[in-house]
Amino acid sequence: MSGAGAASAQSVTSWPDTYLGRVEALAVMEGLNARLLAGRSATVTLEGWCSEHGMATDPRLTATLLRDVDKPASEETRRRLAAGPDTVLKYRRVRLACGDHVLSEADNWYVPERLTPEMNRLLETTDTPFGRAVQALGTTRQTIGADRLWQPLPPGWDQAVPPDPACAPLAIPDRLFSHRAVLFTAERVPFSEVVETYASAILDFRRAARPADPACGAGPPSRP
């Protein structure tokens, strides 16, 4: 890493494996989750998140198109897109990053005949994020599934005695939560189904120092 991206990564503070650390991680995840569910574009929402949390000098998302991968659409996807067996569907998989932070990975099935030639060109030959490529359609989205892939606190935590702190950095898995949504044009024509999986990097931002947990005797360490 180099430049502002390296400086940002070096100043990130680990989330401590304490009761407060887990509650804060859950609150941050749920806050972003709610914004994504309420928003019209995951790309726009993530760019706002990146900017607000100072994760890169330029908060504009960049996409890395994963080429030579394919995943056939399910019958349920075709039904939701009103695409018969003879309708051509294309598949696209990208990783979306803010600076050096890969925030999400998206699997996308779309109906090319419902897009403009320029939109299809961008999707097939460039790394342009899907939401940015099709924004002229006046896109709206309908969420059809939302799954939490990591729960920082166990079931019943709100009525249980807080566990003893581990006095170490919190082990955060690679994947935190995912959404499945159908995208529509301004005329309510479905043209795409997307599965977005949000990564642990959404928590990679600098936080103000917290008081040390008395049971641990030291503050949370900084990441190298």
Side-chain angles (χ1 to χ4, degrees), residues 2 29 41 47 60 71 78 85 92 117 124 134 136 138 143 149 157 171 174 179 193 198 205 207 215:
S2 62
M29 287 170 50
S41 166
E47 286 182 339
R60 188 176 176 87
K71 185 183 294 186
R78 284 190 169 273
R92 191 175 194 255
E124 292 173 15
V134 302
T143 301
L149 306 177
W157 66 270
D174 292 337
H179 295 164
E193 181 167 308
Y198 295 93
F205 56 86
R207 300 181 302 132

Side-chain angles (χ1 to χ4, degrees), residues 109-149:
W109 297 266
Y110 63 98
V111 186
E113 67 183 32
R114 298 175 191 170
L115 308 181
T116 68
E118 176 61 11
M119 291 174 186
N120 281 307
R121 185 193 69 80
L122 289 173
L123 294 174
E124 292 173 15
T125 65
T126 76
D127 288 349
T128 305
F130 192 88
R132 187 176 299 139
V134 302
Q135 62 185 351
L137 296 177
T139 307
T140 58
R141 58 187 280 148
Q142 177 181 337
T143 301
I144 57 177
D147 296 306
R148 185 182 294 157
L149 306 177

